[in-house]
Amino acid sequence: MKKYTLPVKGMNCASCSITVEKTLKKQPGVIECEVNFGNEKANITLDESKTDLPTLSKTIEPFGYSLDIEIHNHDGNNHSKGHHHTNHNTHKPGTHVMPDGTVMDNNAMDHSQHLGLNQTKDEKLQQLEKERQKVLFALPAALLMFGLMMWEISAMYIPQIPAFPIDMMIYQRVALILATVSLFWIGGEFLKEVIVFLRYRVANMYTLIGIGTFTAYVYSAFVVLFPDIAMQLSLPENAYFDVTIIVIGFVYFGKYLETRSKLKTGEAIEKLINLQAKTATVLRNGQEKEIAIEDVVSGDLIIVKPGQKIPVDGVITEGTSSIDESMITGEPIPVDKTLGEVVIGGSINKHGSFTFKATKVGADTLLAGIIRMVDEAQGSRAPIQKVADKVSEVFVPVVLVVAILSLVAWIIAGFTVMPFDQALSLGLMSFVGVLIIACPCALGLATPTAIIVGTGKGAEMGILIKNAESLEKLHSVTTIVTDKTGTLTEGRPVVTDIIILNKNITEKEVLQILGSLEKKSEHPIAHAIVEKMARENYASLEVTDFSILEGMGLTGKVKNTHYFAGNLKLMEKQRIAVNSERYKQLTDHGKTLVFLADSKTALAVIGITDTVKDTAKDTIQSLHKLGIKVVMLTGDNQKAAAFFANETGIDTVVADVLPGEKATVVKKLQEEGEIVAMVGDGVNDAPALAQADIGIAMGTGTDVAIESAQITLLKGDFSKVLKAIKLSKFTMTTIKQNLFWAFAYNIVGIPLAAGLFYPFFGVTLNPAFAGMAMALSSVSVIGNSLRLRGRRL
């Protein structure tokens, strides 16, 4: 089983994507298939023992579509050379093994030229240029005819406007020439779809436009070229070349604007691709050598100088630096890195030169994972889109039927209630108007364009959304369940209190003695004390006779005095009395206590705790404003947990929780009717993340478990939970606005064009105006989605 994400050529509306998807799904060997009109890609999972990509592409070629298999071949061929130095990848070059065993055709994500996305964009830019050339003829012609049409109509009703200045015979013959060029050159794509419809009974939006404009053209040409026959048949003398020219001009201009706007919706992916360095300076055989990024292999030693991009992921082996990771994580402040610390490919070295060992290259880098995840999310389908898909599936056939019925109804009216020539004229206009104004495009673009922009904006801020369904679910969350350590807190202990228990010792002496003793320990609590001593710039003292007392603390001599440092159990064992009133408050606040004593008396007690993240309190308050409750799960005792909750504003605390019990708490909340998002580190909290409606993993560095949750927050910033929810709410609002206007436009426009309001108000819709409205509908939906890029979270 293999999974491919491939561009689909030839799609021009939502009906096209449905035709491609239904056709591919019917083929033997196709396990899953999703075609997204928004990014013009197909996600196909297939059994290669039964079918292959060329065969699948051939099945849709008769309808005017094809799979861009060259992208797949290009990726595989080019990336394979990036691994010929090593055999650490056992799967086929040009692919990426997912956790479920499927193979992603994205191995070339190490460089933009090997992604396939660049080629697709180049093709789109070429397409855009071709469309621009046609628009330069079609739009001026349409505007000229529209002006003349409005003059002719206005002169009939407004006496102040002079009569139409051009002889009608000359005007109609010039219009015939312009209409011929417009229909058969500019509108050639529309006519091709009419032929496909006649041969295969597969229709889309272009079919409707083609039938409509061709009907108007053929009727008009007949009336102009054979006036005597038209008179004998009592046909209306009106010619509708202006309708053909205006509709094709405005529709094509709308198509041009749509193509240009859709390029902008994918800018987030393009920015991520462009983060990748093109070359790397490696040390091979003791020599510095600049090589292409695809030739870097795991284990290479890479030199990075100030201002350069870090080419791949790795670990610093020599030197120190300050690195700007903002383009990957969304964090604006450069991060100081030293020996043994992880660096991320795509980030920028600000100061200092260093050497690092490449640990992850190609499709395994964090940047490649982010690009892959964003690309998949943008191609996925949100549940809210199902309604639009169902409508789009039957839309074109229904519109064809409505157009024919409106023509028939007007002809019948011509035999019964009104002059035949007037009825036929209105019937033709209604038939063409219905075909032109109907727009499945607006429906098809309503959801995917908003999803593409929303997920792209999230990626720029270090919020990685796995798929459209997750983005949709997140907006309706009522409860956030969060782990404490590392999520709401910094995840590393610090000294917060120093209480002197003996007047013969100073705070400085306590820190010097304790810090010197703890320097010899590897315990995280010891690191906190040593860090505190270093921050105060206190000198370390010599320690002799040092030993660790397992489970209690440690002991050693400083300046010939024997000291003990450890927990209350150690004090009790040494029979050193400590007044509990002096440290009770620290215990109530959940702080870890470290006592310092000599052989007879307790000298001091130090309180150590994991500090609350700066953003936690404000984020919780903001979540409350959105009506979302916050529940904290912790292994702390009830008193300590309650104090922490009171400090941060958390609604509910579940204390003394074991890791395995977290999923049970989430399930209980769900049974109470809550929609739950679980925030955790993605490893210890895996069962709870899986149980929750939405799992949010707090990721750090390259160890981020991108595949373990529906949403991953890079750098583990809790404030991004709020931003992710706001992004989800803004995206869903945009989708609902798009769907409302797309449905409203068609619900009002089609009956108006069919002439339903004519018997009551004497109002009908000229197809020229229908063409303008149809062109604007898709552009307005994309424009509304692009507004998301400017929203502040």
Side-chain angles (χ1 to χ4, degrees):
M1 183 171 74
K2 285 190 180 179
K3 186 173 180 180
Y4 296 94
T5 301
L6 295 168
V8 181
K9 294 181 177 179
M11 292 198 301
N12 49 59
C13 72
S15 301
C16 300
S17 60
I18 289 165
T19 299
V20 173
E21 186 173 304
K22 285 174 73 175
T23 305
L24 292 176
K25 276 182 173 177
K26 289 176 185 174
Q27 305 312 309
V30 175
I31 298 159
E32 283 180 16
C33 178
E34 232 181 48
V35 180
N36 188 307
F37 176 54
N39 65 358
E40 296 175 15
K41 288 184 180 178
N43 296 318
I44 307 168
T45 305
L46 56 87
D47 180 348
E48 290 200 319
S49 65
K50 295 180 181 177
T51 189
D52 55 28
L53 295 177
T55 303
L56 293 180
S57 187
K58 282 176 185 173
T59 62
I60 57 174
E61 282 172 13
F63 309 135
Y65 315 115
S66 64
L67 296 174
D68 195 351
I69 302 167
E70 288 303 310
I71 298 294
H72 155 65
N73 292 335
H74 181 84
D75 286 354
N77 295 339
N78 275 278
H79 193 74
S80 58
K81 68 177 181 179
H83 292 277
H84 74 274
H85 299 289
T86 180
N87 60 3
H88 71 275
N89 282 339
T90 56
H91 51 278
K92 179 185 172 183
T95 58
H96 180 71
V97 178
M98 303 299 283
D100 62 358
T102 61
V103 181
M104 286 301 297
D105 183 47
N106 282 323
N107 206 354
M109 281 193 163
D110 54 347
H111 188 239
S112 59
Q113 290 180 356
H114 304 280
L115 251 175
L117 294 176
N118 260 15
Q119 288 90 332
T120 307
K121 188 178 178 185
D122 287 342
E123 286 176 4
K124 285 180 180 175
L125 287 170
Q126 289 171 15
Q127 178 191 339
L128 193 66
E129 180 55 27
K130 284 179 185 174
E131 288 177 6
R132 192 182 73 84
Q133 297 293 337
K134 289 186 176 183
V135 164
L136 288 175
F137 171 84
L139 188 60
L143 290 170
L144 172 66
M145 296 307 291
F146 185 73
L148 292 171
M149 183 185 76
M150 292 305 295
W151 188 340
E152 185 184 3
I153 294 169
S154 303
M156 292 166 62
Y157 299 103
I158 304 170
Q160 290 82 359
I161 295 176
F164 193 65
I166 306 170
D167 179 76
M168 195 51 66
M169 188 174 286
I170 296 171
Y171 172 71
Q172 287 183 343
R173 273 152 181 74
V174 172
L176 171 60
I177 295 167
L178 283 175
T180 303
V181 175
S182 292
L183 182 63
F184 294 100
W185 178 44
I186 311 295
E189 296 172 48
F190 309 147
L191 296 180
K192 282 179 189 172
E193 295 301 328
V194 176
I195 295 166
V196 169
F197 171 64
L198 294 173
R199 286 185 65 186
Y200 301 105
R201 296 186 303 281
V202 173
N204 59 34
M205 184 190 77
Y206 279 15
T207 312
L208 301 180
I209 296 165
I211 293 171
T213 52
F214 187 70
T215 302
Y217 174 83
V218 169
Y219 176 82
S220 304
F222 182 80
V223 168
V224 170
L225 298 175
F226 307 104
D228 296 338
I229 300 172
M231 195 177 291
Q232 288 173 16
L233 295 171
S234 301
L235 297 177
E237 293 179 9
N238 300 338
Y240 303 108
F241 294 124
D242 51 2
V243 168
T244 301
I245 297 163
I246 292 166
V247 165
I248 287 175
F250 285 142
V251 168
Y252 212 86
F253 181 55
K255 182 177 184 291
Y256 169 74
L257 292 177
E258 183 185 314
T259 304
R260 198 171 71 169
S261 299
K262 280 172 77 176
L263 275 173
K264 287 182 182 175
T265 62
E267 278 183 0
I269 280 273
E270 190 186 347
K271 283 179 185 175
L272 288 169
I273 295 165
N274 289 336
L275 291 179
Q276 179 65 64
K278 292 181 174 62
T279 60
T281 303
V282 298
L283 270 176
R284 285 187 181 166
N285 302 320
Q287 299 288 317
E288 286 188 23
K289 185 180 179 184
E290 189 171 327
I291 62 171
I293 190 70
E294 60 267 27
D295 292 330
V296 175
V297 296
S298 185
D300 269 338
L301 288 175
I302 300 171
I303 297 165
V304 184
K305 292 169 184 174
Q308 289 185 336
K309 283 183 181 177
I310 295 167
V312 294
D313 297 353
V315 178
I316 294 176
T317 57
E318 184 184 328
T320 60
S321 181
S322 178
I323 295 173
D324 180 2
E325 297 179 343
S326 60
M327 62 290 296
I328 304 285
T329 65
E331 299 294 328
I333 301 167
V335 184
D336 291 332
K337 301 274 185 176
T338 187
L339 201 66
E341 292 195 283
V342 168
V343 292
I344 302 170
S347 54
I348 297 172
N349 180 26
K350 301 293 280 185
H351 308 291
S353 297
F354 64 92
T355 304
F356 75 96
K357 183 180 180 181
T359 56
K360 292 180 180 178
V361 299
D364 298 323
T365 64
L366 176 65
L367 180 58
I370 292 170
I371 293 170
R372 184 166 55 249
M373 190 173 184
V374 174
D375 195 36
E376 286 172 18
Q378 291 184 345
S380 64
R381 199 172 287 173
I384 196 171
Q385 194 177 335
K386 287 176 183 173
V387 178
D389 284 347
K390 283 179 181 175
V391 173
S392 297
E393 196 169 340
V394 297
F395 189 88
V396 173
V398 167
V399 168
L400 275 167
V401 171
V402 170
I404 293 165
L405 288 176
S406 66
L407 175 61
V408 171
W410 280 113
I411 290 172
I412 292 169
F415 287 114
T416 54
V417 296
M418 64 193 316
F420 179 76
D421 60 342
Q422 184 189 355
L424 182 59
S425 180
L426 287 166
L428 278 169
M429 288 300 91
S430 294
F431 177 75
V432 174
V434 168
L435 295 176
I436 299 304
I437 201 166
C439 187
C441 258
L443 283 171
L445 290 168
T447 302
T449 52
I451 293 293
I452 288 168
V453 177
T455 51
K457 186 176 178 67
E460 288 173 6
M461 303 181 74
I463 301 166
L464 303 184
I465 298 156
K466 200 166 194 177
N467 52 42
E469 186 178 354
S470 304
L471 189 62
E472 181 176 336
K473 268 187 188 176
L474 189 60
H475 94 286
S476 55
V477 161
T478 59
T479 300
I480 298 282
V481 175
T482 175
D483 191 23
K484 176 191 164 189
T485 305
T487 304
L488 296 173
T489 64
E490 295 291 351
R492 56 184 180 83
V494 294
V495 175
T496 56
D497 304 87
I498 301 174
I499 299 173
I500 304 298
L501 303 175
N502 189 305
K503 61 184 179 182
N504 295 322
I505 196 167
T506 65
E507 187 175 298
K508 179 181 178 180
E509 289 172 323
V510 168
L511 269 178
Q512 277 189 296
I513 295 164
L514 255 180
S516 302
L517 289 166
E518 298 287 5
K519 215 170 185 181
K520 293 182 173 292
S521 169
E522 290 298 318
H523 197 281
I525 296 293
H527 292 318
I529 296 168
V530 173
E531 274 183 22
K532 176 69 173 172
M533 182 179 73
R535 275 200 305 274
E536 298 294 341
N537 289 320
Y538 296 155
S540 180
L541 306 173
E542 187 182 348
V543 177
T544 57
D545 297 341
F546 174 84
S547 64
I548 290 175
L549 307 170
E550 197 66 44
M552 292 185 289
L554 45 81
T555 181
K557 271 187 181 178
V558 177
K559 293 182 179 178
N560 294 320
T561 302
H562 210 101
Y563 291 101
F564 296 89
N567 55 24
L568 193 59
K569 198 184 287 184
L570 177 59
M571 297 298 102
E572 289 168 354
K573 187 178 180 188
Q574 296 300 318
R575 294 181 181 160
I576 296 169
V578 185
N579 184 352
S580 63
E581 291 300 318
R582 302 295 298 274
Y583 61 82
K584 184 176 181 297
Q585 189 182 25
L586 299 182
T587 309
D588 290 346
H589 292 177
K591 295 181 179 180
T592 302
L593 307 184
V594 176
F595 294 91
L596 176 67
D598 57 21
S599 53
K600 296 178 182 176
T601 59
L603 303 173
V605 59
I606 286 183
I608 295 172
T609 190
D610 189 359
T611 54
V612 181
K613 285 183 177 176
D614 295 336
T615 56
K617 193 171 182 179
D618 290 340
T619 301
I620 291 165
Q621 286 176 353
S622 298
L623 288 169
H624 287 158
K625 287 175 185 174
L626 293 175
I628 297 169
K629 291 182 286 187
V630 181
V631 176
M632 183 182 79
L633 308 182
T634 178
D636 293 348
N637 62 55
Q638 188 62 44
K639 265 189 178 180
F643 173 77
F644 187 89
N646 189 52
E647 285 285 293
T648 53
I650 286 167
D651 300 282
T652 309
V653 170
V654 184
D656 299 311
V657 174
L658 297 172
E661 296 170 343
K662 292 178 182 179
T664 309
V665 175
V666 171
K667 190 174 182 181
K668 188 180 176 187
L669 286 165
Q670 289 171 322
E671 287 168 356
E672 291 169 5
E674 302 290 341
I675 299 169
V676 181
M678 171 69 195
V679 185
D681 62 12
V683 181
N684 297 330
D685 301 319
L689 287 166
Q691 176 63 44
D693 298 285
I694 292 286
I696 303 176
M698 303 288 279
T700 51
T702 51
D703 296 324
V704 58
I706 284 180
E707 305 295 342
S708 71
Q710 289 133 308
I711 293 172
T712 302
L713 309 179
L714 296 182
K715 281 295 176 189
D717 184 352
F718 186 69
S719 68
K720 287 180 183 174
V721 173
L722 174 66
K723 288 178 180 176
I725 292 169
K726 280 186 173 180
L727 178 65
S728 173
K729 287 182 181 293
F730 288 150
T731 304
M732 290 309 298
T733 300
T734 302
I735 289 171
K736 286 170 184 175
Q737 288 169 349
N738 287 348
L739 287 173
F740 171 79
W741 288 112
F743 276 111
Y745 163 84
N746 283 295
I747 288 165
V748 173
I750 292 173
L752 181 62
L756 204 63
F757 300 118
Y758 188 82
F760 309 104
F761 309 107
V763 176
T764 186
L765 186 67
N766 188 300
F769 291 102
M772 287 174 65
M774 197 279 281
L776 288 171
S777 64
S778 297
V779 177
S780 62
V781 163
I782 296 173
N784 192 41
S785 295
L786 286 171
R787 284 173 57 239
L788 266 174
R789 294 196 304 178
R791 294 300 295 262
R792 291 189 66 184
L793 300 181

